[in-house]
Amino acid sequence: MLRFGTDGVRGVANAELTPELALALGRAAARVLGGDRCAIGRDTRLSGPLLESALAAGLAAEGVAVTLLGVVPTPEVAWWSATEGAPAAVVSASHNPFPDNGIKLFAAGGRKLADEVEENIEHELLALLAGDGRGAPRRPIPTGARVGRVAVSPGAPHAGYAASVAASLGGRRLDGLTAVVDCANGSASAVAPGVLRDLGVDVSVIHAAPDGANINDGCGSTHLGDLARAVTARGADLGIAFDGDADRVMLVDAAGAVVDGDHIIAICAIDRHERGALPGGAVVVTVMTNLGFRLAMDKRGIRVVETAVGDRYVLEALEAGGLALGGEQSGHVIFRDLATTGDGLLTAVQALDALVRSGRPLAALAADAMTRLPQVLRGVRLAERDPSLVDRLAPAIAAVEDRLGPHGRVLVRPSGTEPVIRVMAEAPTESEAEAAVADLVSALDALVPSRDPAS
């Protein structure tokens, strides 16, 4: 059975993530999360309505009234949950390929589930699937008028969410910018271009014609080639690329160069710090964030809080420290004072706001914010997992770190899902980073001679 990962349940639709599993997950979620209402949104995948229907049936079978939001960005579902004070779910596999799908749950208030809540749902789900009685409902099975209703959301889709994103600028506008927007043939297609146009951006749109199978297909935040070419061909100021469910965003400058999540966070952190709008004078990033980011923040007196990989860990650190801004290199950025989760459209609007007020081109603003150090990453596949391997490699890691000094960095970590050790090094030059990784892989060879490089 699929288990909760860092971002819900995800797998190949109708093979690993089946309608039977979705139905049982709906029942389990209703029993654990409680409440009498829940909303479901989805992305543009062909399998979306299939899994949405099954999930809704499971919730309704427990007496929950279900509102179907249709195709909406994941952040819009979180916004609904925060606004309505009720749980919500998203049927989406985010940036994954089209055959995959997933189910992500939000607790009432638009927050991702705590580990212990996910564990409770998993326990209930396993009991339901086993059919052994351990999943007995905590209330009588609803019948008659107590069965949950399933209804399509009334009113204008996206209106409230779009207004909340625009309101984050406090009345400022983005007039004068020209941008190409890549919607990844996903959830951003129906809402992002309109919000940006309403704020004054001269928008051209690509990959905003979803057909159920073309989501993330050679487009969006993980495939920036089309966007870069469109920006340079049009002579636009920048490009904006969302992923399939629009919780991530990447930018390209006027020359088509990538401005990734590290640069976006750096731009927004510096802008907020200069305006006195960065609580705690700190920003939260993961261990994968480039060393150049850390050096740039140190230069400006901005403290960097580091977490494990995963936006949920970023959010936990933001909440624990009373901080406002954090995110990942992938473009998953959280403005905790403006939203309850990562939001690609909100992030784009915030970054463009800083750009307009700076009066500078995006390339100059990004270059001034931080200088990316060359980064080399290799995966070393093992015959089996060995939890002690990183500790045994400690002397070799220390030797490489001593050689690189304060302007280099090494990260060696096991994969959370497969028998792979990921070896990463950053250094002032590509050759130094390559040499550091090669030395560590050689040290791994000495410890595990039978290893093979991961593809």
Side-chain angles (χ1 to χ4, degrees):
M1 188 204 79
L2 290 177
R3 301 185 69 86
F4 280 94
T6 58
D7 211 21
V9 176
R10 195 173 293 183
V12 177
N14 211 34
E16 297 169 319
L17 182 54
T18 63
E20 292 83 1
L21 179 59
L23 188 146
L25 181 57
R27 299 196 81 138
R31 295 178 184 184
V32 174
L33 296 180
D36 58 5
R37 294 190 301 151
C38 184
I40 303 175
R42 57 182 170 87
D43 69 20
T44 58
R45 291 166 212 266
L46 183 64
S47 60
L50 167 74
L51 296 171
E52 172 195 63
S53 298
L55 182 65
L59 290 161
E62 295 292 321
V64 176
V66 180
T67 299
L68 302 181
L69 301 177
V71 174
V72 294
T74 288
E76 183 170 344
V77 179
W79 172 86
W80 183 96
S81 177
T83 302
E84 297 293 327
V90 184
V91 178
S92 173
S94 190
H95 58 283
N96 279 33
F98 150 67
D100 292 349
N101 216 324
I103 296 174
K104 180 190 307 184
L105 298 168
F106 291 103
R111 303 285 183 183
K112 288 192 174 183
L113 305 186
D115 289 343
E116 59 271 20
V117 176
E118 285 190 346
E119 290 170 5
N120 289 339
I121 293 176
E122 273 196 4
H123 175 79
E124 197 74 35
L125 175 61
L126 287 168
L128 283 162
L129 293 173
D132 60 4
R134 289 185 292 125
R138 291 167 175 77
R139 56 187 177 185
I141 290 292
T143 58
R146 297 197 307 274
V147 171
R149 299 174 184 270
V150 179
V152 175
S153 176
H158 315 300
Y161 165 70
S164 74
V165 172
S168 74
L169 293 188
R172 295 186 297 277
R173 293 182 54 79
L174 305 175
D175 297 299
L177 287 178
T178 59
V180 179
V181 178
D182 181 346
C183 294
N185 292 313
S187 301
S189 301
V191 58
V195 169
L196 292 166
R197 286 189 180 114
D198 287 347
L199 288 170
V201 183
D202 182 358
V203 172
S204 298
V205 183
I206 62 173
H207 300 303
D211 62 10
N214 60 359
I215 186 171
N216 299 321
D217 186 10
C219 58
S221 63
T222 54
H223 301 87
L224 296 170
D226 281 2
L227 180 62
R229 286 184 287 272
V231 167
T232 56
R234 186 187 174 192
D237 294 318
L238 73 153
I240 304 168
F242 300 101
D243 67 340
D245 71 335
D247 66 351
R248 302 185 185 195
V249 68
M250 298 281 268
L251 306 178
V252 302
D253 66 23
V258 175
V259 178
D260 68 5
D262 286 352
H263 275 96
I264 294 169
I265 297 166
I267 288 169
C268 292
I270 293 167
D271 174 65
R272 281 183 163 229
H273 190 57
E274 291 176 346
R275 294 188 288 125
L278 189 66
V283 64
V284 179
V285 295
T286 77
V287 293
M288 291 304 295
T289 294
N290 192 267
L291 177 59
F293 177 92
R294 293 167 171 81
L295 296 174
M297 296 300 101
D298 183 63
K299 178 182 176 181
R300 290 168 173 82
I302 299 173
R303 182 167 57 93
V304 176
V305 177
E306 189 175 276
T307 76
V309 174
D311 66 285
R312 66 182 300 170
Y313 302 114
V314 172
L315 182 56
E316 287 172 3
L318 288 170
E319 292 181 338
L323 308 178
L325 176 61
E328 300 182 280
Q329 197 176 78
S330 62
H332 201 139
V333 182
I334 301 171
F335 292 85
R336 194 182 71 93
D337 54 346
L338 300 174
T340 61
T341 190
D343 186 330
L345 179 56
L346 176 66
T347 299
V349 166
Q350 292 297 304
L352 267 58
D353 180 41
L355 179 66
V356 169
R357 285 184 286 99
S358 77
R360 306 170 67 193
L362 179 57
L365 190 63
D368 184 59
M370 64 169 279
T371 299
R372 170 173 294 282
L373 293 186
Q375 183 184 90
V376 175
L377 175 66
R378 284 179 63 182
V380 178
R381 186 169 296 278
L382 310 173
E384 59 185 18
R385 287 191 183 186
D386 183 351
S388 71
L389 197 53
V390 174
D391 289 339
R392 291 160 55 201
L393 198 63
I397 294 172
V400 172
E401 288 177 333
D402 286 344
R403 188 174 79 226
L404 292 176
H407 295 288
R409 187 170 72 102
V410 168
L411 178 66
V412 180
R413 65 183 185 94
S415 166
T417 58
E418 53 186 337
V420 171
I421 296 289
R422 306 200 189 282
V423 180
M424 185 272 286
E426 293 166 342
T429 67
E430 187 85 17
S431 61
E432 289 175 288
E434 288 277 9
V437 169
D439 286 352
L440 291 171
V441 171
S442 294
L444 270 172
D445 273 332
L447 293 173
V448 191
S450 61
R451 68 93 189 163
D452 291 312
S455 58

